[in-house]
Amino acid sequence: MNITVNPKGVTVNQFLMKTALPLGGYFIIEYLIRNYTASNIFLGLLNLPMMAVTAVLLFLSIRKLRDLLLDGQISGFMAWTFGVQLMFFAGLIEAAFIYLFNEFLVPTNLVTVHNQLVAQYESALTTIEGMASASNMAASMIPMVKEMIELLKDTPVATAIETAISMLSNDIFYGMLIMAFVAPIVRKKK
């Protein structure tokens, strides 16, 4: 995939690495925002727009690749492959940060996030118990929520390397899904 079409002599792989670095930085910022908004359900709604921004960034990156290096045309498969590779390398940058962050910078972070999740479910249980007298549906949810709380308490906290690998695999899978929709759109210059 070392195609050189542009006058600057930049290859697709070089373009991939130059594009993956800022995308990896965006993923790090996204991780920090998601990490520090975990205690607030409403701030957690920021995840959806951040996921949409990721799709837009992939689209713009592939369109730039198509226009600058590939003379205005790219096959759907090459666009899909480039997008998945871009997500992989950006995910590697994010995974390295997540490992260093959770292992050395803030070693108590994963325990804190786990405890915040348990507290959110306990808060939801209190709310549901308050509504149980007015609604049969709320009353039927109480045993399920209690079971979820017990499962969360029994689940061991993930290690830094487990979290990093999990985020990397999420990025790759998410990239595959996004590119299934983006690749056909970006194929030809209009």
Side-chain angles (χ1 to χ4, degrees):
M1 197 154 59
N2 279 332
I3 302 167
T4 305
V5 176
N6 65 340
K8 294 180 183 176
V10 176
T11 65
V12 173
N13 289 337
Q14 290 169 334
F15 184 79
L16 174 70
M17 293 305 141
K18 286 180 182 179
T19 309
L21 190 60
L23 187 61
Y26 170 73
F27 285 173
I28 290 170
I29 292 167
E30 184 181 27
Y31 173 77
L32 290 172
I33 289 171
R34 191 178 323 123
N35 191 40
Y36 288 110
T37 59
S39 61
N40 188 323
I41 293 173
F42 296 109
L43 288 177
L45 295 175
L46 287 173
N47 287 337
L48 189 61
M50 288 189 300
M51 288 173 26
V53 168
T54 301
V56 170
L57 290 175
L58 279 173
F59 171 79
L60 294 174
S61 299
I62 294 168
R63 190 179 72 180
K64 187 173 180 182
L65 168 75
R66 178 198 70 194
D67 295 344
L68 291 180
L69 280 95
L70 302 176
D71 203 26
Q73 290 192 347
I74 187 170
S75 71
F77 181 72
M78 186 174 183
W80 184 83
T81 303
F82 180 81
V84 172
Q85 287 177 341
L86 185 58
M87 289 293 285
F88 172 75
F89 287 113
L92 274 179
I93 294 167
E94 178 192 27
F97 172 80
I98 288 171
Y99 175 74
L100 294 172
F101 181 78
N102 290 313
E103 187 70 25
F104 300 109
L105 296 175
V106 187
T108 60
N109 178 53
L110 294 174
V111 173
T112 303
V113 170
H114 181 81
N115 291 338
Q116 288 173 344
L117 188 60
V118 170
Q120 282 180 354
Y121 275 96
E122 288 173 340
S123 173
L125 178 63
T126 305
T127 304
I128 292 170
E129 286 174 340
M131 297 177 355
S133 61
S135 168
N136 287 336
M137 188 169 118
S140 67
M141 291 175 60
I142 292 174
M144 180 181 66
V145 174
K146 283 183 179 179
E147 185 178 330
M148 289 175 71
I149 292 170
E150 289 307 313
L151 284 172
L152 275 173
K153 287 180 178 178
D154 293 342
T155 302
V157 176
T159 64
I161 193 71
E162 289 172 340
T163 305
I165 291 171
S166 173
M167 289 302 288
L168 176 60
S169 63
N170 288 346
D171 289 339
I172 295 168
F173 183 69
Y174 183 51
M176 290 165 56
L177 289 177
I178 290 175
M179 289 314 300
F181 297 101
V182 170
I185 297 170
V186 78
R187 285 187 20 206
K188 286 186 182 178
K189 197 177 202 178
K190 301 268 181 193

